[in-house]
Amino acid sequence: MSASGVPRAQRHLFAALDLGKDKLYGHIKPRKNRTRFLEFCRYLRSLCPPEIRIAIVLDNFSLHYFTLDGTDHASHKEQASMIRRYIIRWNKHTADIRLHTLVTRVNVA
């Protein structure tokens, strides 16, 4: 709920991790349905040549909601911007061993 007592609209994060490149990709959508999922799959397919096989694991694990719990973004636009900035930062530092060590340590806890 927002501060005004009005329920906030929910947003859904479609995300993928390229294990070979250690890169994150993500789209934030107002709905999670078949059409949106297929759009995201077509986007993933466009990232690599057709002869490369893509394995997709469907998890529905909502860790990002837990991570965002207690945050106070003024809008969904601001929240989406913060998520996109995280993905960009991660992708710029894929070779940073210290960052990966820290993330691994946090994920275990």
Side-chain angles (χ1 to χ4, degrees), residues 13-19 21-27 40 43-44 47 83-92 94 99-100 103:
L13 174 64
F14 290 91
L17 173 62
D18 182 329
L19 295 174
K21 296 177 185 172
D22 197 23
K23 292 218 173 196
L24 285 170
Y25 302 96
H27 289 177
F40 187 64
Y43 166 72
L44 294 176
L47 297 174
I83 292 170
R84 280 191 291 277
R85 286 173 50 196
Y86 174 83
I87 291 171
I88 290 166
R89 184 176 176 343
W90 177 272
N91 289 340
K92 284 184 178 180
T94 57
L99 177 63
H100 288 279
V103 169

Side-chain angles (χ1 to χ4, degrees), residues 18-90:
D18 182 329
L19 295 174
K21 296 177 185 172
D22 197 23
K23 292 218 173 196
L24 285 170
Y25 302 96
H27 289 177
I28 298 167
K29 300 290 183 178
R31 281 180 215 88
K32 180 170 59 173
N33 59 29
R34 177 178 173 230
T35 302
R36 301 291 184 264
F37 176 70
L38 291 175
E39 286 172 359
F40 187 64
C41 288
R42 282 191 290 275
Y43 166 72
L44 294 176
R45 180 76 269 172
S46 75
L47 297 174
C48 54
E51 63 273 6
I52 300 294
R53 292 181 66 193
I54 298 174
I56 297 177
V57 178
L58 303 177
D59 190 334
N60 242 6
F61 186 55
S62 61
L63 182 60
H64 59 281
Y65 293 123
F66 171 74
T67 304
L68 297 173
D69 191 28
T71 60
D72 191 23
H73 299 103
S75 66
H76 285 294
K77 185 177 179 179
E78 180 185 349
Q79 185 180 56
S81 174
M82 296 297 289
I83 292 170
R84 280 191 291 277
R85 286 173 50 196
Y86 174 83
I87 291 171
I88 290 166
R89 184 176 176 343
W90 177 272

